[in-house]
Amino acid sequence: MDKPSNTADDILAAARSFIVAGGYNGFSYADIAEVIGIRKASIHHHFPSKVDLVQTLVRRYLEDAVTGMAELERNVPEPPELLRTYAGFWAQCIEDASRPFCVCALLASELPALPPEIAAGVRAYFQFLSGWLTGVFERGAAQGTLTISAAPRIEAEAFMATVHGAMLSARAYGDVLTFGMILTPTLQKLIPTAD
């Protein structure tokens, strides 16, 4: 089976929503069944266990990130614009509540309690994102289009942590503008203004 059925996609979407709302332990198959109007047995047909379900969700999330970043690189080749666009994506998602929080960032906060298979997928997502951002910082530093004060990998990790921290603050304050308030000075420090 190359492409899962629409039911499997609906199950994954519901799981994603539940994870964003309450974390890994914040939902059961009964919750998903009620939301999408199917029996729990139907969920077990697609995903025999919750570990299988969330592992698939995290794998898809990583695949989507890889595809999305490749597309972003094709359309926005300059490092300053890549950082602005990446931050802008999350700002828009938080503002319109389409993706109010990164699923892997939420799961990372639960890492010690997650099944090892899921934890490995979450780590893979962070490793990918760190590697992508490191490449952006390396190119920006080499071109002189980004102002960095540490090694590109450290800058990448700090930027990633700032984005995820800004998501958390926006959620804690219940204020979508908090995300931009935190990210704007970070971007201003990284991107030199033209004189």
Side-chain angles (χ1 to χ4, degrees):
M1 181 163 101
D2 289 335
K3 183 162 176 23
S5 69
N6 288 335
T7 301
D9 290 339
D10 291 345
I11 294 166
L12 288 164
R16 184 181 153 280
S17 295
F18 279 118
I19 289 170
V20 168
Y24 178 77
N25 290 312
F27 73 98
S28 68
Y29 275 20
D31 297 319
I32 293 173
E34 183 178 330
V35 166
I36 61 176
I38 62 173
R39 297 174 312 130
K40 289 191 302 183
S42 297
I43 299 170
H44 284 285
H45 169 75
H46 294 282
F47 304 101
S49 71
K50 188 174 182 178
V51 170
D52 295 320
L53 170 61
V54 178
Q55 198 174 10
T56 301
L57 177 67
V58 169
R59 188 187 75 245
R60 288 254 195 106
Y61 200 77
L62 174 57
E63 290 167 358
D64 289 349
V66 170
T67 301
M69 297 311 174
E71 183 70 19
L72 185 59
E73 291 273 354
R74 281 191 294 279
N75 294 320
V76 183
E78 297 301 319
E81 283 310 307
L82 284 169
L83 295 182
R84 283 189 191 106
T85 303
Y86 177 74
F89 167 80
W90 282 112
Q92 183 63 46
C93 290
I94 291 166
E95 187 176 311
D96 67 17
S98 60
R99 287 187 177 195
F101 214 95
C102 171
V103 169
C104 285
L106 279 172
L107 289 171
S109 72
E110 301 179 62
L111 213 56
L114 290 178
E117 306 90 331
I118 296 170
V122 170
R123 283 187 191 96
Y125 172 82
F126 273 82
Q127 289 164 347
F128 163 75
L129 186 56
S130 175
W132 178 75
L133 285 168
T134 298
V136 171
F137 278 99
E138 287 170 347
R139 289 191 311 276
Q143 297 167 359
T145 57
L146 292 178
T147 302
I148 64 173
S149 57
R153 181 164 186 274
I154 294 169
E155 293 285 354
E157 293 290 339
F159 186 76
M160 185 169 56
T162 302
V163 169
H164 291 136
M167 287 178 195
L168 186 62
S169 292
R171 177 179 259 200
Y173 291 120
D175 178 9
V176 298
L177 299 177
T178 299
F179 182 82
M181 181 180 71
I182 293 168
L183 258 292
T184 297
T186 300
L187 289 168
Q188 288 172 341
K189 289 177 195 169
L190 292 168
I191 302 168
T193 56
D195 292 329

